Structures are given as C-alpha cells and as structure tokens.
Amino acid sequence: MSQPSSSGAAIRFDAVEKAFDAPGRRRVVALQDVTLDVAAGDICGIIGRSGAGKSTLLRMVNGLEVPTSGTITVDGRDVGRAKGAELRSIRRDVGMIFQHFNLLSSRTVYGNIALPLEIAGIPASQIRPRALDLIARVGLEEQANRYPAELSGGQKQRVGIARALATQPKVLLSDEATSALDPETTQTVLALLRDINRDLGLTILLITHEMAVVRDIASHMAVIDGGRIVEAGPTYDVFVQPKHPTTRSFLSGVTGITLPAFISDRLQATRPDCASEEVIRVTFAGNHATDPMLASLTAEMGVGVNILAGAIEEIGTRPFGNLLISVDAAKGAEARSYLERHGLLTEVLGYVR
C-alpha cells in the first residue's frame, strides 16, 4: 500500500526495494515496493515490529543504506545516487537521533554538540554561540560541562537531539529515540520534538514499535509489516478506521481495548441459530466522541446494551473513543444502523450464545 504522492514531499520513497545477500547465497528481501511521501513540516511515524524493515527504511534516508531498486529523495535530491560532496551535503540536511544516544564519553555536553560543527569546518567563532543556543533549546544549560556518564537517560537524549540539530538540518530522523526511556521521560522528549517541529518547521521521520509514541506526536503514520507498507495516512484516520490486521494489533496494545476472556473464548464468526448476542466495536470520532449515543440507543430504540470494554483517546486535539458492546443479535442490524446514522462507526466482531 502507498500513500498518495504530493508535490510538497520533503522525503519521498518511490517503489523502493532493499535486498541483502545472506550466508549460503540466500537473498533476503528487507523492503518491497515501498512508496511513501513525508510532507515538509510533518511528523511522520513508521511503526512496525522487530524485523519489519523500519530501520533499513530509515537508514536509506541519509545514505547509510542504498536501495536495490527504486529511489529515495530528500528535498528533491536522489540519496541513493549521490556521491562525494553531494552526499555530504544531503547528510548535513538530515539530522539523526539514536535509541542509545551514541554520545562520545570523552566529550562534555558542549563538546558532543559542537562536534558536527567542527567536522563541517565551521569557524570556532561561530561554533560556540550555535552550540550554546542549542544547549539552551534543549534545557541543559546547567549540564553544559558535564560528561555523558554524569547524565540521566533523558538528558543524554536531549544532547543527542541538540547534536542532530547542530548543522541546521531540514529533516530529523529518530531511530527508536524513546525506547530506552521511562514513560515520564519519554513524554518530555516527545514534547521537545513537538516544539522543535513547530518552532523550526523541521520535518521529522521517526520509527518506533510503540503505538503510543505515534499517537502522541505524529501527524501522519505508516505501518510496515514484512517489508511492506500495509497502511498509511493521517494518524487520526488510521486510529479511527484501521484497515489492516497488523494495525489493529498495534492499536489493541495501546488502547487496551480487548474483549474479556469469558467473551473472546466463546466468540463465533457466524450467528448461531439459538438466542445470541452480537458483539460490536463502536468508534466515536470527532464531534461524536463524547456523545451519549448508547443511552440514546436504549431510550429511543429500546435496544439493551452491554458494555464490555472501552476508552476515550485523544489524537492531537481531536478525541475519539472505542467501545466494545453486545446487543441482542436479533436487534444488531437495527442498533448498528442507528449508531451509523448518528456518525459513529461500527464493526461486528462476532457472536456469543
């Protein structure tokens, strides 16, 4: 599956394939027919399980991996074909932050942030104010002269972010940047990335296996499975109407909306002949996310509703909720029709006696 192209793409993957030669002359295909646009100024999250191909995808954006076929362009420049000075120029426009920070233990916070500027040949008179400005941006003024061993995980990641911004890139890549952090520190780092995206207009492409990270920061997302993009689009739309089983699996983990065992163990795909209950997923989106529609269903239609599980989430500033309910199977179609007429989404999960 691909996301439609747009002329404002900062990063574009066009029919990308990546294969590796494994031992025993076996060919391993890591990515297949990946077509995806990341619009300038967006935060795009790529989510997938370990081995899905997301790290390979990310590494091709700054030329650390070259596609076997297809093209990757950054700001209109073909990364796979770039060599020498052109590739170095692209890499200066692409900052990267890492899961395990990758800081030099022998350098202070200031020294780590100044390093990319030194490598780029920036005059020393320009390096100091630039580095100090970045230290202030990530809130580490008091730690400027400390070494990595003296920093917490969150502080180390802030150094990594500041270092990635040193060359004033147009694109920022995040390689599982919050996976090694506790939940509270993760939220702090995500808030910093949101601020950077807003203040600098920076395009951010992040990979993760945590749906909560995508929910909390990404304007757009793509789900990768077996080296293919199986679903992509605005984050809100994907959360509200997931189409692929892999997406639904990730969503069940982040929302906690799963059927109780005493229901799931008895769930049948087809309606039995005897008296039964229809199990329905109801999605409340947008303006209807907090409407008391189930109470209205009972009051107006006389349909009794059993609530099995539920939660209300927020994507950006837009709320949405998921409820798992059961109703008399004989009234299931009537109940779903009523809910859908009032702007809700419904899905039959099965039947129980």
Side-chain angles (χ1 to χ4, degrees):
M1 179 177 178
S2 64
Q3 187 176 352
S5 292
S6 65
S7 58
I11 307 169
R12 174 168 293 165
F13 301 90
D14 187 5
V16 170
E17 179 176 313
K18 178 63 179 179
F20 297 94
D21 292 326
R25 297 184 178 180
R26 185 170 58 92
R27 189 174 176 83
V28 176
V29 179
L31 295 170
Q32 304 177 65
D33 192 28
V34 172
T35 297
L36 181 72
D37 284 359
V38 180
D42 274 359
I43 301 178
C44 180
I46 308 289
I47 187 163
R49 299 185 179 92
S50 297
K54 57 187 187 294
S55 292
T56 301
L57 190 70
L58 196 75
R59 288 168 60 85
M60 288 195 290
V61 178
N62 60 4
L64 295 177
E65 297 285 356
V66 177
T68 305
S69 62
T71 59
I72 301 101
T73 56
V74 174
D75 197 26
R77 295 173 292 175
D78 188 334
V79 181
R81 295 182 179 179
K83 306 291 182 184
E86 184 183 9
L87 181 58
R88 290 193 294 273
S89 175
I90 292 173
R91 285 175 171 166
R92 282 195 294 272
D93 283 343
V94 180
M96 190 161 184
I97 54 178
F98 302 89
Q99 178 181 1
H100 297 296
F101 321 125
N102 288 15
L103 303 180
L104 294 179
S105 60
S106 60
R107 279 185 168 242
T108 62
V109 167
Y110 174 92
N112 271 280
I113 295 170
L115 182 60
L117 299 170
E118 296 170 7
I119 293 173
I122 304 299
S125 60
Q126 297 178 27
I127 290 177
R128 182 169 180 79
R130 175 68 179 156
L132 292 177
D133 177 67
L134 288 168
I135 288 170
R137 176 173 287 279
V138 299
L140 291 176
E141 296 98 322
E142 295 183 4
Q143 291 80 27
N145 295 315
R146 293 184 183 177
Y147 290 89
E150 303 174 87
L151 304 176
S152 68
Q155 290 170 337
K156 290 177 184 176
Q157 196 55 282
R158 286 172 174 268
V159 178
I161 292 170
R163 180 185 58 189
L165 297 175
T167 57
Q168 297 179 303
K170 298 176 181 178
V171 170
L172 184 63
L173 306 180
S174 171
D175 183 7
E176 298 276 11
T178 60
S179 295
L181 306 177
D182 62 73
E184 183 177 354
T185 306
T186 291
Q187 289 304 312
T188 302
V189 170
L190 293 180
L192 176 59
L193 290 176
R194 281 194 297 269
D195 290 345
I196 289 168
N197 168 257
R198 182 195 63 224
D199 297 343
L200 304 180
L202 206 61
T203 304
I204 300 178
L205 178 63
L206 60 91
I207 63 170
T208 183
H209 63 272
E210 300 172 286
M211 202 66 153
V213 170
V214 175
R215 176 197 63 198
D216 292 344
I217 192 173
S219 56
H220 290 74
M221 63 177 291
V223 181
I224 189 168
D225 187 35
R228 295 180 180 273
I229 300 293
V230 297
E231 190 157 0
T235 302
Y236 189 87
D237 293 350
V238 174
F239 266 68
V240 169
Q241 284 188 292
K243 296 179 174 62
H244 195 272
T246 299
T247 311
R248 292 182 183 135
S249 175
F250 276 118
L251 281 172
S252 68
V254 73
T255 63
I257 305 301
T258 56
L259 285 170
F262 75 91
I263 295 291
S264 60
D265 290 347
R266 297 185 291 123
L267 197 66
Q268 301 179 31
T270 58
R271 179 180 170 182
D273 294 333
C274 58
S276 62
E277 294 275 307
E278 183 173 287
V279 180
I280 306 169
R281 183 193 306 276
V282 182
T283 300
F284 300 69
N287 295 331
H288 300 286
T290 56
D291 291 351
M293 294 310 304
L294 298 186
S296 298
L297 173 64
T298 299
E300 295 182 25
M301 307 297 291
V303 178
V305 177
N306 294 319
I307 297 176
L308 306 175
I312 294 179
E313 302 285 337
E314 191 173 58
I315 306 296
T317 59
R318 301 170 65 190
F320 85 101
N322 275 307
L323 282 177
L324 302 182
I325 66 172
S326 68
V327 300
D328 184 338
K331 295 186 176 182
E334 181 182 2
R336 285 183 278 110
S337 177
Y338 177 87
L339 295 172
E340 289 169 6
R341 287 199 307 271
H342 288 80
L344 278 61
L345 304 172
T346 67
E347 177 189 3
V348 178
L349 300 182
Y351 302 85
V352 291
R353 294 181 179 181

